[in-house]
Amino acid sequence: MSHTLLLVDDEEKVLEFMEPFLRQEGFQIITAKTGKEALRKAKEKKPSLVVLDWMLPEMSGIDVCREIRKISRIGIIMVTARTEETDKIIGLEVGADDYITKPFSLRELAARIRSVLRRIDGQDQVEHELQRGGLLISESQCRVWKQDKEISLTPTEFKILLTLATRPGIVYSRLQLLQAALEDDLLNDERTVDAHISRIRKKIEDDPSNPIYIQTVYGFGYRFGDRI
Protein backbone atom coordinates (compact mmCIF):
# COMPACT_ATOMS: atom_id res chain seq x y z
CA MET A 1 0.00 0.00 0.00
CA SER A 2 1.38 3.41 -1.01
CA HIS A 3 1.08 5.99 1.73
CA THR A 4 0.70 9.72 1.08
CA LEU A 5 2.86 12.10 3.11
CA LEU A 6 2.23 15.80 3.66
CA LEU A 7 5.59 17.59 4.04
CA VAL A 8 5.30 20.99 5.71
CA ASP A 9 8.15 23.51 5.85
CA ASP A 10 8.41 27.18 4.91
CA GLU A 11 11.88 26.68 3.44
CA GLU A 12 11.84 25.48 -0.16
CA LYS A 13 15.32 23.95 0.17
CA VAL A 14 14.14 21.73 3.04
CA LEU A 15 11.22 20.43 0.96
CA GLU A 16 13.61 19.87 -1.96
CA PHE A 17 15.85 17.94 0.44
CA MET A 18 13.11 15.59 1.64
CA GLU A 19 10.77 15.15 -1.31
CA PRO A 20 12.94 13.30 -3.90
CA PHE A 21 14.27 10.81 -1.36
CA LEU A 22 10.85 10.00 0.08
CA ARG A 23 9.40 9.58 -3.42
CA GLN A 24 12.18 7.08 -4.14
CA GLU A 25 11.19 5.30 -0.93
CA GLY A 26 7.74 4.71 -2.43
CA PHE A 27 5.68 7.49 -0.83
CA GLN A 28 3.25 9.85 -2.55
CA ILE A 29 4.13 13.44 -1.61
CA ILE A 30 2.10 16.60 -0.96
CA THR A 31 3.79 19.78 0.26
CA ALA A 32 2.78 22.94 2.11
CA LYS A 33 4.71 26.03 3.19
CA THR A 34 2.42 27.65 5.76
CA GLY A 35 0.46 26.45 8.75
CA LYS A 36 -2.92 27.32 7.25
CA GLU A 37 -2.07 25.62 3.96
CA ALA A 38 -0.96 22.53 5.88
CA LEU A 39 -4.19 22.36 7.85
CA ARG A 40 -6.27 22.81 4.71
CA LYS A 41 -4.41 20.07 2.83
CA ALA A 42 -4.56 17.73 5.82
CA LYS A 43 -8.36 18.07 5.76
CA GLU A 44 -8.77 17.90 1.98
CA LYS A 45 -6.14 15.35 0.94
CA LYS A 46 -6.25 13.14 4.05
CA PRO A 47 -2.60 12.01 3.98
CA SER A 48 -1.43 9.03 6.00
CA LEU A 49 1.18 11.11 7.83
CA VAL A 50 2.33 14.73 8.19
CA VAL A 51 6.00 15.70 8.55
CA LEU A 52 5.44 19.03 10.27
CA ASP A 53 7.93 21.81 10.91
CA TRP A 54 7.54 23.61 14.25
CA MET A 55 8.16 27.16 13.02
CA LEU A 56 5.73 28.15 10.25
CA PRO A 57 4.20 31.41 9.00
CA GLU A 58 0.52 32.17 9.67
CA MET A 59 0.11 29.30 12.14
CA SER A 60 2.71 27.39 14.15
CA GLY A 61 3.33 23.69 13.69
CA ILE A 62 2.16 23.11 17.25
CA ASP A 63 -1.17 24.80 16.50
CA VAL A 64 -1.50 22.83 13.26
CA CYS A 65 -0.84 19.60 15.16
CA ARG A 66 -3.42 20.52 17.79
CA GLU A 67 -6.06 21.30 15.15
CA ILE A 68 -5.40 18.12 13.17
CA ARG A 69 -5.79 16.04 16.31
CA LYS A 70 -9.32 17.39 16.76
CA ILE A 71 -10.41 15.77 13.51
CA SER A 72 -8.00 12.96 12.66
CA ARG A 73 -5.69 10.21 13.93
CA ILE A 74 -3.23 10.51 11.01
CA GLY A 75 0.44 10.23 11.87
CA ILE A 76 2.32 13.41 12.79
CA ILE A 77 6.09 13.80 13.10
CA MET A 78 7.28 17.17 14.39
CA VAL A 79 10.48 18.52 12.82
CA THR A 80 12.36 21.34 14.54
CA ALA A 81 15.73 22.85 15.35
CA ARG A 82 14.60 23.22 18.97
CA THR A 83 16.35 20.67 21.19
CA GLU A 84 15.04 21.41 24.68
CA GLU A 85 13.24 18.50 26.36
CA THR A 86 10.28 20.74 27.23
CA ASP A 87 9.75 21.46 23.53
CA LYS A 88 9.63 17.74 22.77
CA ILE A 89 7.13 17.22 25.57
CA ILE A 90 4.92 20.03 24.24
CA GLY A 91 4.93 18.46 20.77
CA LEU A 92 3.97 15.05 22.09
CA GLU A 93 1.34 16.43 24.44
CA VAL A 94 -0.54 18.16 21.61
CA GLY A 95 -0.67 14.91 19.67
CA ALA A 96 2.55 14.36 17.70
CA ASP A 97 3.50 10.70 17.28
CA ASP A 98 7.22 11.36 17.04
CA TYR A 99 9.77 14.16 17.07
CA ILE A 100 12.97 14.68 15.05
CA THR A 101 15.45 17.55 15.33
CA LYS A 102 17.38 19.31 12.59
CA PRO A 103 19.79 18.41 11.17
CA PHE A 104 18.63 14.85 10.50
CA SER A 105 19.47 12.16 7.98
CA LEU A 106 16.91 11.20 5.35
CA ARG A 107 17.28 7.54 6.27
CA GLU A 108 16.43 8.31 9.89
CA LEU A 109 13.38 10.31 8.79
CA ALA A 110 12.20 7.47 6.54
CA ALA A 111 12.68 4.97 9.38
CA ARG A 112 10.65 7.11 11.77
CA ILE A 113 7.90 7.56 9.17
CA ARG A 114 7.62 3.81 8.64
CA SER A 115 7.62 3.18 12.38
CA VAL A 116 4.69 5.55 12.92
CA LEU A 117 2.80 4.15 9.91
CA ARG A 118 3.22 0.60 11.20
CA ARG A 119 1.68 1.62 14.51
CA ILE A 120 -1.21 3.35 12.79
CA ASP A 121 -1.84 0.46 10.39
CA GLY A 122 -1.83 -1.94 13.34
CA GLN A 123 -4.33 0.19 15.23
CA ASP A 124 -6.64 0.42 12.21
CA GLN A 125 -6.94 -3.38 12.18
CA VAL A 126 -8.40 -3.31 15.69
CA GLU A 127 -12.05 -2.56 16.40
CA HIS A 128 -12.10 0.79 18.21
CA GLU A 129 -14.74 0.50 20.93
CA LEU A 130 -15.33 2.42 24.14
CA GLN A 131 -17.36 0.95 27.00
CA ARG A 132 -18.66 3.74 29.23
CA GLY A 133 -21.16 2.54 31.80
CA GLY A 134 -24.17 1.28 29.88
CA LEU A 135 -22.91 2.78 26.62
CA LEU A 136 -20.90 0.99 23.95
CA ILE A 137 -19.40 3.36 21.38
CA SER A 138 -17.88 1.96 18.18
CA GLU A 139 -15.57 4.53 16.64
CA SER A 140 -14.90 2.50 13.50
CA GLN A 141 -18.61 1.90 12.82
CA CYS A 142 -19.86 5.30 14.10
CA ARG A 143 -22.54 3.50 16.13
CA VAL A 144 -23.69 3.64 19.75
CA TRP A 145 -25.57 1.12 21.86
CA LYS A 146 -27.15 1.53 25.27
CA GLN A 147 -27.67 -1.76 27.06
CA ASP A 148 -27.73 -3.62 23.70
CA LYS A 149 -30.21 -1.19 22.12
CA GLU A 150 -28.74 0.88 19.29
CA ILE A 151 -29.03 4.66 19.67
CA SER A 152 -29.49 6.73 16.51
CA LEU A 153 -27.21 9.79 16.47
CA THR A 154 -26.46 12.29 13.73
CA PRO A 155 -22.80 12.49 12.61
CA THR A 156 -22.35 15.73 14.56
CA GLU A 157 -23.91 14.23 17.69
CA PHE A 158 -21.71 11.14 17.37
CA LYS A 159 -18.51 13.18 17.06
CA ILE A 160 -19.39 15.28 20.10
CA LEU A 161 -20.20 12.19 22.16
CA LEU A 162 -17.04 10.40 21.00
CA THR A 163 -14.87 13.43 21.80
CA LEU A 164 -16.23 13.63 25.33
CA ALA A 165 -16.27 9.88 25.99
CA THR A 166 -12.69 9.37 24.80
CA ARG A 167 -11.37 11.39 27.75
CA PRO A 168 -13.78 11.14 30.71
CA GLY A 169 -13.44 13.92 33.26
CA ILE A 170 -11.76 16.34 30.82
CA VAL A 171 -13.67 19.60 30.36
CA TYR A 172 -14.22 20.75 26.77
CA SER A 173 -15.35 24.24 25.83
CA ARG A 174 -18.20 24.69 23.37
CA LEU A 175 -15.74 25.85 20.73
CA GLN A 176 -13.56 22.76 21.18
CA LEU A 177 -16.57 20.48 20.76
CA LEU A 178 -17.75 22.39 17.72
CA GLN A 179 -14.31 22.15 16.12
CA ALA A 180 -14.15 18.44 16.86
CA ALA A 181 -17.57 17.84 15.28
CA LEU A 182 -17.32 20.07 12.19
CA GLU A 183 -14.47 19.70 9.69
CA ASP A 184 -15.06 23.19 8.35
CA ASP A 185 -13.20 26.41 9.01
CA LEU A 186 -16.49 28.34 8.95
CA LEU A 187 -17.75 27.44 12.40
CA ASN A 188 -21.29 28.13 13.52
CA ASP A 189 -22.40 29.82 16.73
CA GLU A 190 -20.82 28.01 19.68
CA ARG A 191 -24.23 27.93 21.36
CA THR A 192 -25.43 25.39 18.80
CA VAL A 193 -23.41 22.89 20.85
CA ASP A 194 -25.95 23.30 23.66
CA ALA A 195 -28.70 22.15 21.31
CA HIS A 196 -26.66 19.15 20.20
CA ILE A 197 -25.89 18.25 23.82
CA SER A 198 -29.58 18.50 24.71
CA ARG A 199 -30.51 16.08 21.91
CA ILE A 200 -27.75 13.65 22.84
CA ARG A 201 -28.86 13.64 26.45
CA LYS A 202 -32.44 12.83 25.44
CA LYS A 203 -31.14 9.80 23.60
CA ILE A 204 -28.58 8.38 26.06
CA GLU A 205 -29.53 9.58 29.55
CA ASP A 206 -32.09 7.85 31.78
CA ASP A 207 -32.99 11.29 33.15
CA PRO A 208 -31.83 14.08 30.78
CA SER A 209 -32.51 16.70 33.48
CA ASN A 210 -30.05 14.91 35.79
CA PRO A 211 -27.40 13.59 33.39
CA ILE A 212 -24.69 11.14 34.43
CA TYR A 213 -22.91 10.79 31.08
CA ILE A 214 -22.60 14.33 29.73
CA GLN A 215 -22.21 16.80 32.58
CA THR A 216 -22.31 20.59 32.42
CA VAL A 217 -19.37 22.48 33.96
CA TYR A 218 -20.87 25.92 34.42
CA GLY A 219 -18.80 28.73 32.97
CA PHE A 220 -16.52 26.31 31.08
CA GLY A 221 -18.35 23.72 28.99
CA TYR A 222 -19.01 19.98 29.22
CA ARG A 223 -17.32 16.78 30.34
CA PHE A 224 -18.08 13.07 30.26
CA GLY A 225 -18.66 11.58 33.71
CA ASP A 226 -15.60 9.73 35.01
CA ARG A 227 -17.35 7.84 37.81
CA ILE A 228 -19.89 5.91 35.80
Side-chain angles (χ1 to χ4, degrees):
M1 178 181 176
S2 177
H3 289 284
T4 297
L5 309 180
L6 172 57
L7 309 181
V8 187
D9 200 294
D10 62 333
E11 295 186 43
E12 183 68 32
K13 63 181 181 180
V14 175
L15 295 176
E16 292 175 351
F17 171 67
M18 293 189 290
E19 183 174 356
F21 180 84
L22 293 174
R23 285 191 186 279
Q24 290 179 358
E25 291 293 297
F27 298 109
Q28 302 295 316
I29 303 297
I30 305 167
T31 62
K33 296 181 181 178
T34 71
K36 288 184 178 180
E37 182 186 11
L39 185 57
R40 176 176 59 81
K41 288 188 174 180
K43 292 178 178 180
E44 293 176 355
K45 305 297 184 180
K46 295 180 171 53
S48 301
L49 183 142
V50 183
V51 179
L52 182 61
D53 190 46
W54 182 301
M55 302 298 291
L56 293 170
E58 297 182 352
M59 188 178 189
S60 74
I62 287 294
D63 288 337
V64 173
C65 180
R66 186 180 291 112
E67 292 303 311
I68 289 175
R69 275 293 169 259
K70 294 176 181 178
I71 60 172
S72 177
R73 298 192 308 274
I74 62 174
I76 299 176
I77 296 178
M78 296 294 302
V79 179
T80 180
R82 304 164 70 106
T83 59
E84 292 84 354
E85 182 180 6
T86 53
D87 293 329
K88 180 177 181 179
I89 292 172
I90 290 171
L92 296 175
E93 283 184 343
V94 298
D97 296 285
D98 202 353
Y99 185 103
I100 189 169
T101 57
K102 298 177 181 178
F104 55 85
S105 75
L106 290 172
R107 292 191 181 279
E108 180 187 4
L109 176 61
R112 287 176 180 268
I113 289 171
R114 289 196 171 93
S115 176
V116 172
L117 290 174
R118 280 196 297 270
R119 294 201 299 267
I120 293 172
D121 289 344
Q123 290 168 359
D124 288 345
Q125 296 172 8
V126 178
E127 179 73 13
H128 291 273
E129 292 186 346
L130 298 176
Q131 184 73 54
R132 299 288 186 259
L135 294 180
L136 177 63
I137 303 170
S138 172
E139 182 177 358
S140 59
Q141 297 183 52
C142 297
R143 299 168 71 185
V144 179
W145 293 265
K146 180 179 179 181
Q147 297 171 347
D148 297 327
K149 179 181 179 181
E150 186 166 359
I151 305 297
S152 177
L153 298 177
T154 67
T156 298
E157 291 168 355
F158 179 82
K159 289 178 181 179
I160 290 175
L161 176 61
L162 179 64
T163 299
L164 291 165
T166 299
R167 301 181 69 191
I170 300 299
V171 179
Y172 289 84
S173 69
R174 290 177 176 85
L175 179 58
Q176 287 175 317
L177 291 174
L178 194 59
Q179 290 173 330
L182 301 177
E183 298 182 13
D184 192 341
D185 292 330
L186 301 176
L187 298 176
N188 295 315
D189 187 337
E190 293 177 34
R191 290 290 171 175
T192 60
V193 171
D194 296 339
H196 290 304
I197 293 292
S198 178
R199 287 194 291 270
I200 297 170
R201 282 173 170 166
K202 289 178 181 178
K203 296 176 180 181
I204 68 171
E205 302 282 0
D206 291 334
D207 180 4
S209 63
N210 186 30
I212 62 170
Y213 291 111
I214 300 180
Q215 303 169 350
T216 300
V217 181
Y218 293 100
F220 294 96
Y222 298 96
R223 70 182 171 205
F224 198 90
D226 59 354
R227 298 183 180 181
I228 297 172

